[in-house]
Amino acid sequence: MARDQFIEHYRTSLAMHGLPLGDPDALEGTPTTGVPVSLQAWYEVAGNSRLNSAHNRILGPGLLRYADDKVIFAVENQEAVVWGFDAATTADDPEIWQGQTAEADDRFEWYSEEALLSRFLMTMLDRTISHERPIA
C-alpha cells in the first residue's frame, strides 16, 4: 500500500468513529528516517492526537527507541508490554512484535502479534475507543 493509501485509510477510520484528525504540521521537521511508511502516515493523520495517549501510547517519531533488534513505537498503559517492529525492516507495513520484560534481565521476550503495523494501529484505535470514550 502506498503512503497516500495509508493516509486515506486512517482518515476514513477516524472519521467513521467521529474522531478529530491531528494537525499534520505539528510533526513537520521531525525526522522519520527508518520509520515505516504506514507509521509515517499515522503520524501525518493523527500524530498529535489525544488518541496516541488516551489508553496505550503510540510514541512520536522523536520518542522511538531501540531494544534488542526492534524499534519500540508503542507502550501499554501500565508499561508492562511494548510493541515494536524489526529495526532492519524495509517493509512499508511491517509485522508487529509484542515485547514483555524477561524476569532474568533487562531484555524483552518478543512474540509476534501476527498483524501488520497498519492493522495493529486500527486495533489500538478500536481498543482506545472502547476504553476511553469520549476522546475528543
Short mmCIF file of all heavy atoms in Angstrom, two decimals, residues 3-46:
data_model
loop_
_atom_site.label_atom_id
_atom_site.label_comp_id
_atom_site.label_asym_id
_atom_site.label_seq_id
_atom_site.Cartn_x
_atom_site.Cartn_y
_atom_site.Cartn_z
N ARG A 3 1.84 5.34 0.58
CA ARG A 3 1.64 6.31 1.67
C ARG A 3 0.26 6.97 1.59
O ARG A 3 -0.45 7.05 2.60
CB ARG A 3 2.75 7.35 1.61
CG ARG A 3 2.68 8.39 2.71
CD ARG A 3 3.78 9.44 2.52
NE ARG A 3 3.67 10.48 3.48
CZ ARG A 3 4.36 10.54 4.61
NH1 ARG A 3 5.22 9.59 4.90
NH2 ARG A 3 4.21 11.53 5.44
N ASP A 4 -0.13 7.42 0.41
CA ASP A 4 -1.44 8.08 0.26
C ASP A 4 -2.59 7.14 0.61
O ASP A 4 -3.60 7.57 1.16
CB ASP A 4 -1.62 8.62 -1.15
CG ASP A 4 -0.71 9.80 -1.44
OD1 ASP A 4 -0.18 10.40 -0.48
OD2 ASP A 4 -0.51 10.12 -2.63
N GLN A 5 -2.42 5.85 0.31
CA GLN A 5 -3.46 4.88 0.64
C GLN A 5 -3.55 4.68 2.16
O GLN A 5 -4.65 4.56 2.70
CB GLN A 5 -3.19 3.55 -0.06
CG GLN A 5 -3.38 3.65 -1.57
CD GLN A 5 -2.92 2.38 -2.27
OE1 GLN A 5 -1.80 1.93 -2.07
NE2 GLN A 5 -3.81 1.82 -3.07
N PHE A 6 -2.41 4.62 2.83
CA PHE A 6 -2.43 4.52 4.30
C PHE A 6 -3.11 5.76 4.89
O PHE A 6 -3.93 5.65 5.81
CB PHE A 6 -1.01 4.39 4.86
CG PHE A 6 -0.39 3.04 4.69
CD1 PHE A 6 0.75 2.89 3.93
CD2 PHE A 6 -0.94 1.91 5.29
CE1 PHE A 6 1.35 1.65 3.77
CE2 PHE A 6 -0.35 0.66 5.15
CZ PHE A 6 0.79 0.53 4.38
N ILE A 7 -2.75 6.93 4.39
CA ILE A 7 -3.33 8.18 4.90
C ILE A 7 -4.84 8.15 4.74
O ILE A 7 -5.59 8.46 5.68
CB ILE A 7 -2.70 9.40 4.20
CG1 ILE A 7 -1.26 9.58 4.70
CG2 ILE A 7 -3.53 10.67 4.43
CD1 ILE A 7 -0.46 10.61 3.92
N GLU A 8 -5.32 7.78 3.57
CA GLU A 8 -6.77 7.73 3.33
C GLU A 8 -7.43 6.69 4.23
O GLU A 8 -8.51 6.93 4.78
CB GLU A 8 -7.05 7.42 1.86
CG GLU A 8 -8.51 7.45 1.50
CD GLU A 8 -9.19 8.79 1.79
OE1 GLU A 8 -8.52 9.85 1.71
OE2 GLU A 8 -10.40 8.78 2.10
N HIS A 9 -6.80 5.56 4.40
CA HIS A 9 -7.33 4.50 5.27
C HIS A 9 -7.49 5.01 6.71
O HIS A 9 -8.53 4.83 7.34
CB HIS A 9 -6.39 3.29 5.22
CG HIS A 9 -6.74 2.19 6.15
ND1 HIS A 9 -7.88 1.43 6.04
CD2 HIS A 9 -6.07 1.71 7.24
CE1 HIS A 9 -7.92 0.54 7.01
NE2 HIS A 9 -6.83 0.69 7.75
N TYR A 10 -6.47 5.67 7.23
CA TYR A 10 -6.52 6.19 8.60
C TYR A 10 -7.56 7.31 8.72
O TYR A 10 -8.33 7.34 9.69
CB TYR A 10 -5.15 6.70 9.05
CG TYR A 10 -4.06 5.64 9.10
CD1 TYR A 10 -2.75 5.98 8.84
CD2 TYR A 10 -4.34 4.32 9.42
CE1 TYR A 10 -1.73 5.04 8.90
CE2 TYR A 10 -3.33 3.36 9.47
CZ TYR A 10 -2.03 3.73 9.21
OH TYR A 10 -1.03 2.79 9.26
N ARG A 11 -7.58 8.24 7.77
CA ARG A 11 -8.57 9.33 7.82
C ARG A 11 -9.99 8.79 7.81
O ARG A 11 -10.84 9.24 8.57
CB ARG A 11 -8.36 10.28 6.65
CG ARG A 11 -7.21 11.21 6.84
CD ARG A 11 -7.13 12.23 5.73
NE ARG A 11 -6.03 13.15 6.02
CZ ARG A 11 -5.30 13.74 5.11
NH1 ARG A 11 -5.55 13.54 3.83
NH2 ARG A 11 -4.32 14.54 5.46
N THR A 12 -10.24 7.82 6.95
CA THR A 12 -11.57 7.22 6.86
C THR A 12 -11.94 6.56 8.18
O THR A 12 -13.07 6.71 8.67
CB THR A 12 -11.62 6.20 5.71
OG1 THR A 12 -11.31 6.88 4.49
CG2 THR A 12 -12.97 5.54 5.60
N SER A 13 -11.01 5.82 8.77
CA SER A 13 -11.28 5.13 10.03
C SER A 13 -11.58 6.12 11.16
O SER A 13 -12.51 5.92 11.94
CB SER A 13 -10.09 4.25 10.42
OG SER A 13 -9.91 3.23 9.48
N LEU A 14 -10.80 7.19 11.25
CA LEU A 14 -11.04 8.19 12.30
C LEU A 14 -12.38 8.89 12.08
O LEU A 14 -13.14 9.10 13.03
CB LEU A 14 -9.90 9.21 12.34
CG LEU A 14 -8.55 8.67 12.80
CD1 LEU A 14 -7.47 9.74 12.69
CD2 LEU A 14 -8.61 8.14 14.22
N ALA A 15 -12.67 9.25 10.83
CA ALA A 15 -13.93 9.93 10.52
C ALA A 15 -15.12 9.02 10.82
O ALA A 15 -16.15 9.48 11.33
CB ALA A 15 -13.94 10.37 9.06
N MET A 16 -14.99 7.74 10.54
CA MET A 16 -16.06 6.78 10.79
C MET A 16 -16.42 6.75 12.27
O MET A 16 -17.57 6.57 12.64
CB MET A 16 -15.62 5.39 10.32
CG MET A 16 -16.68 4.32 10.47
SD MET A 16 -16.13 2.74 9.80
CE MET A 16 -14.87 2.28 10.99
N HIS A 17 -15.45 6.98 13.14
CA HIS A 17 -15.68 7.00 14.58
C HIS A 17 -15.98 8.41 15.10
O HIS A 17 -16.12 8.60 16.30
CB HIS A 17 -14.45 6.44 15.31
CG HIS A 17 -14.23 4.98 15.10
ND1 HIS A 17 -15.10 4.02 15.55
CD2 HIS A 17 -13.23 4.32 14.47
CE1 HIS A 17 -14.65 2.82 15.21
NE2 HIS A 17 -13.53 2.98 14.55
N GLY A 18 -16.03 9.39 14.19
CA GLY A 18 -16.32 10.76 14.59
C GLY A 18 -15.19 11.41 15.37
O GLY A 18 -15.43 12.30 16.19
N LEU A 19 -13.96 10.97 15.11
CA LEU A 19 -12.82 11.49 15.86
C LEU A 19 -12.09 12.58 15.07
O LEU A 19 -12.00 12.49 13.84
CB LEU A 19 -11.85 10.36 16.18
CG LEU A 19 -12.43 9.27 17.07
CD1 LEU A 19 -11.48 8.09 17.14
CD2 LEU A 19 -12.73 9.81 18.45
N PRO A 20 -11.55 13.57 15.76
CA PRO A 20 -10.82 14.63 15.07
C PRO A 20 -9.47 14.11 14.55
O PRO A 20 -8.88 13.20 15.13
CB PRO A 20 -10.60 15.68 16.16
CG PRO A 20 -10.62 14.91 17.43
CD PRO A 20 -11.58 13.76 17.21
N LEU A 21 -9.03 14.70 13.47
CA LEU A 21 -7.71 14.38 12.94
C LEU A 21 -6.68 15.22 13.66
O LEU A 21 -6.98 16.30 14.16
CB LEU A 21 -7.66 14.67 11.44
CG LEU A 21 -8.66 13.91 10.57
CD1 LEU A 21 -8.54 14.36 9.13
CD2 LEU A 21 -8.46 12.42 10.69
N GLY A 22 -5.46 14.73 13.70
CA GLY A 22 -4.37 15.52 14.26
C GLY A 22 -3.95 16.59 13.28
O GLY A 22 -4.42 16.65 12.15
N ASP A 23 -3.06 17.45 13.69
CA ASP A 23 -2.53 18.50 12.84
C ASP A 23 -1.26 17.99 12.18
O ASP A 23 -0.25 17.80 12.86
CB ASP A 23 -2.22 19.73 13.69
CG ASP A 23 -1.56 20.86 12.92
OD1 ASP A 23 -1.50 20.77 11.67
OD2 ASP A 23 -1.12 21.82 13.55
N PRO A 24 -1.29 17.74 10.85
CA PRO A 24 -0.10 17.19 10.20
C PRO A 24 1.11 18.10 10.29
O PRO A 24 2.24 17.63 10.27
CB PRO A 24 -0.54 17.00 8.74
CG PRO A 24 -1.74 17.84 8.57
CD PRO A 24 -2.37 17.99 9.93
N ASP A 25 0.91 19.39 10.44
CA ASP A 25 2.03 20.32 10.55
C ASP A 25 2.73 20.23 11.90
O ASP A 25 3.85 20.69 12.06
CB ASP A 25 1.57 21.76 10.32
CG ASP A 25 1.08 21.98 8.90
OD1 ASP A 25 1.53 21.23 8.00
OD2 ASP A 25 0.26 22.87 8.69
N ALA A 26 2.07 19.62 12.89
CA ALA A 26 2.65 19.54 14.24
C ALA A 26 3.94 18.72 14.25
O ALA A 26 4.78 18.91 15.12
CB ALA A 26 1.64 18.94 15.21
N LEU A 27 4.10 17.83 13.31
CA LEU A 27 5.29 16.97 13.27
C LEU A 27 6.26 17.39 12.18
O LEU A 27 7.25 16.71 11.94
CB LEU A 27 4.88 15.52 13.07
CG LEU A 27 4.05 14.93 14.20
CD1 LEU A 27 3.52 13.56 13.82
CD2 LEU A 27 4.86 14.84 15.47
N GLU A 28 5.98 18.51 11.54
CA GLU A 28 6.85 18.97 10.45
C GLU A 28 8.28 19.15 10.95
O GLU A 28 8.53 19.69 12.01
CB GLU A 28 6.32 20.29 9.90
CG GLU A 28 7.00 20.70 8.62
CD GLU A 28 6.32 21.91 7.99
OE1 GLU A 28 5.09 21.92 7.90
OE2 GLU A 28 7.05 22.83 7.62
N GLY A 29 9.21 18.64 10.17
CA GLY A 29 10.63 18.75 10.52
C GLY A 29 11.13 17.65 11.43
O GLY A 29 12.31 17.57 11.73
N THR A 30 10.22 16.77 11.91
CA THR A 30 10.63 15.66 12.76
C THR A 30 11.21 14.57 11.88
O THR A 30 10.58 14.17 10.91
CB THR A 30 9.42 15.11 13.55
OG1 THR A 30 8.84 16.18 14.29
CG2 THR A 30 9.85 14.01 14.50
N PRO A 31 12.40 14.08 12.18
CA PRO A 31 13.00 13.04 11.32
C PRO A 31 12.19 11.75 11.33
O PRO A 31 11.72 11.32 12.38
CB PRO A 31 14.38 12.82 11.93
CG PRO A 31 14.40 13.51 13.23
CD PRO A 31 13.23 14.44 13.30
N THR A 32 12.02 11.17 10.15
CA THR A 32 11.29 9.91 10.04
C THR A 32 12.13 8.85 9.34
O THR A 32 11.61 7.85 8.87
CB THR A 32 9.96 10.11 9.29
OG1 THR A 32 10.23 10.71 8.02
CG2 THR A 32 8.98 10.95 10.08
N THR A 33 13.43 9.04 9.30
CA THR A 33 14.33 8.06 8.69
C THR A 33 14.19 6.74 9.43
O THR A 33 14.25 6.70 10.66
CB THR A 33 15.78 8.54 8.76
OG1 THR A 33 15.88 9.81 8.13
CG2 THR A 33 16.72 7.56 8.09
N GLY A 34 13.99 5.67 8.70
CA GLY A 34 13.84 4.35 9.28
C GLY A 34 12.46 4.04 9.82
O GLY A 34 12.22 2.96 10.34
N VAL A 35 11.53 5.00 9.70
CA VAL A 35 10.16 4.79 10.15
C VAL A 35 9.35 4.25 8.97
O VAL A 35 9.33 4.86 7.91
CB VAL A 35 9.54 6.11 10.68
CG1 VAL A 35 8.09 5.91 11.08
CG2 VAL A 35 10.37 6.64 11.85
N PRO A 36 8.67 3.11 9.14
CA PRO A 36 7.89 2.55 8.04
C PRO A 36 6.83 3.53 7.52
O PRO A 36 6.29 4.35 8.28
CB PRO A 36 7.24 1.32 8.65
CG PRO A 36 8.09 0.97 9.82
CD PRO A 36 8.62 2.28 10.33
N VAL A 37 6.52 3.40 6.25
CA VAL A 37 5.55 4.29 5.60
C VAL A 37 4.21 4.27 6.32
O VAL A 37 3.58 5.31 6.51
CB VAL A 37 5.39 3.90 4.11
CG1 VAL A 37 4.24 4.63 3.46
CG2 VAL A 37 6.68 4.16 3.35
N SER A 38 3.76 3.10 6.77
CA SER A 38 2.46 3.02 7.44
C SER A 38 2.45 3.81 8.74
O SER A 38 1.43 4.41 9.10
CB SER A 38 2.08 1.56 7.70
OG SER A 38 3.10 0.89 8.41
N LEU A 39 3.57 3.89 9.45
CA LEU A 39 3.65 4.67 10.68
C LEU A 39 3.83 6.15 10.37
O LEU A 39 3.25 7.02 11.04
CB LEU A 39 4.77 4.16 11.58
CG LEU A 39 4.88 4.75 12.98
CD1 LEU A 39 3.55 4.65 13.74
CD2 LEU A 39 5.99 4.06 13.76
N GLN A 40 4.58 6.49 9.33
CA GLN A 40 4.69 7.89 8.90
C GLN A 40 3.31 8.44 8.57
O GLN A 40 2.98 9.57 8.93
CB GLN A 40 5.60 8.01 7.68
CG GLN A 40 7.06 7.77 7.96
CD GLN A 40 7.89 7.89 6.70
OE1 GLN A 40 7.57 8.67 5.80
NE2 GLN A 40 8.96 7.11 6.62
N ALA A 41 2.49 7.66 7.87
CA ALA A 41 1.15 8.09 7.50
C ALA A 41 0.29 8.31 8.75
O ALA A 41 -0.48 9.27 8.83
CB ALA A 41 0.50 7.06 6.57
N TRP A 42 0.43 7.43 9.74
CA TRP A 42 -0.31 7.61 11.01
C TRP A 42 0.08 8.93 11.65
O TRP A 42 -0.76 9.68 12.12
CB TRP A 42 -0.06 6.45 11.96
CG TRP A 42 -0.76 6.64 13.28
CD1 TRP A 42 -0.22 7.07 14.44
CD2 TRP A 42 -2.15 6.43 13.53
NE1 TRP A 42 -1.18 7.14 15.42
CE2 TRP A 42 -2.38 6.76 14.89
CE3 TRP A 42 -3.22 6.00 12.76
CZ2 TRP A 42 -3.63 6.66 15.48
CZ3 TRP A 42 -4.47 5.91 13.35
CH2 TRP A 42 -4.67 6.24 14.69
N TYR A 43 1.38 9.21 11.69
CA TYR A 43 1.84 10.47 12.27
C TYR A 43 1.25 11.65 11.52
O TYR A 43 0.89 12.66 12.13
CB TYR A 43 3.37 10.56 12.24
CG TYR A 43 4.09 9.62 13.17
CD1 TYR A 43 5.32 9.09 12.82
CD2 TYR A 43 3.56 9.26 14.40
CE1 TYR A 43 6.02 8.24 13.68
CE2 TYR A 43 4.24 8.40 15.26
CZ TYR A 43 5.46 7.90 14.89
OH TYR A 43 6.14 7.06 15.74
N GLU A 44 1.16 11.55 10.21
CA GLU A 44 0.61 12.66 9.43
C GLU A 44 -0.87 12.87 9.72
O GLU A 44 -1.33 14.00 9.80
CB GLU A 44 0.81 12.41 7.93
CG GLU A 44 0.37 13.59 7.09
CD GLU A 44 0.78 13.47 5.64
OE1 GLU A 44 1.81 12.85 5.34
OE2 GLU A 44 0.04 14.03 4.80
N VAL A 45 -1.61 11.80 9.92
CA VAL A 45 -3.06 11.91 10.14
C VAL A 45 -3.39 12.18 11.61
O VAL A 45 -4.27 12.98 11.91
CB VAL A 45 -3.77 10.62 9.66
CG1 VAL A 45 -5.24 10.63 10.03
CG2 VAL A 45 -3.60 10.46 8.15
N ALA A 46 -2.71 11.51 12.51
CA ALA A 46 -3.09 11.58 13.93
C ALA A 46 -1.89 11.78 14.85
O ALA A 46 -1.94 11.44 16.02
CB ALA A 46 -3.82 10.30 14.32
#
